[in-house]
Amino acid sequence: MRPFVMLCRIHDGLSDFGYIVGALGLASMATIYCYEVLTRYFLNMATDWANDTFANVLCVTIFAMVPHATRRAQHISITLLSEIVPKTGPALALFTAVVGTGMCLLAGWMSLEENIRQISMEIVTPDNHPIPQWWMTVFITFGFVGAAFYFFRSLFANEAIRPMSWITPNQGQTKV
């Protein structure tokens, strides 16, 4: 069991890293947007890189945060049935964890295949200043695989593998 616990802590650390990347991405998107507005409307000099960079950073920001949101059970959930018929709660939680694990792993696998294709074919972004496309899309793989592992970990009641965060400690690490 010890190697699995260590793997869980590494997973938590990677999710915290994704949280930091996402927070920095959000700050940089705000900065890029303000810079573009300032230069375009007040200095009458539009940039040729701001919109492209904003879109790329948006992709990284969203998917870097996905594992953290899943760890905290802040993903989208429709709880109508469990609220109307509370007895279905445990069965629905199990169903959600199993299906969430499977679907996120499938999406992560598909994304990984696309990452490998982008690397092997040297695909770049169709922007004014092209960069390798996999630099952004690898975060899609990171987000889905990280979320899949949190859904999988929610299947176990073991306290040793309970999700934890060093960035946002004691802020309601709940079951997925």
Side-chain angles (χ1 to χ4, degrees), residues 1 4-5 8-9 94 97 150-163 173-176:
M1 186 68 173
F4 189 64
V5 172
C8 290
R9 293 303 148 245
L94 177 65
Y150 280 118
F151 279 117
F152 179 71
R153 286 170 65 182
S154 73
L155 291 169
F156 304 97
N158 189 335
E159 188 64 27
I161 63 169
R162 182 183 63 86
Q173 263 57 1
T174 59
K175 288 193 77 156
V176 179

Side-chain angles (χ1 to χ4, degrees), residues 84-147:
I84 293 174
V85 186
K87 290 181 183 179
T88 62
L92 288 173
L94 177 65
F95 176 78
T96 300
V98 170
V99 171
T101 300
M103 295 308 292
C104 287
L105 279 176
L106 177 64
W109 174 65
M110 291 168 52
S111 178
L112 178 63
E113 281 189 334
E114 182 61 20
N115 297 150
I116 293 167
R117 186 183 74 82
Q118 290 168 352
I119 292 168
S120 67
M121 296 181 71
E122 299 180 2
I123 296 174
V124 295
T125 57
D127 301 333
N128 292 327
H129 303 282
I131 58 174
Q133 197 166 12
W134 71 268
W135 289 2
M136 282 74 58
T137 60
V138 73
F139 283 92
I140 298 172
T141 305
F142 171 83
F144 280 121
V145 172

Side-chain angles (χ1 to χ4, degrees), residues 25-43 45-47 49-51 54:
L26 187 60
S28 67
M29 287 185 338
T31 303
I32 291 167
Y33 186 76
C34 290
Y35 180 80
E36 175 65 14
V37 168
L38 176 74
T39 58
R40 180 180 299 262
Y41 297 109
F42 295 107
L43 303 177
M45 307 180 324
T47 61
W49 57 268
N51 289 333
F54 189 91

Side-chain angles (χ1 to χ4, degrees), residues 9-28:
R9 293 303 148 245
I10 291 169
H11 180 224
D12 291 332
L14 287 171
S15 296
D16 284 342
F17 172 74
Y19 180 85
I20 292 169
V21 168
L24 292 173
L26 187 60
S28 67

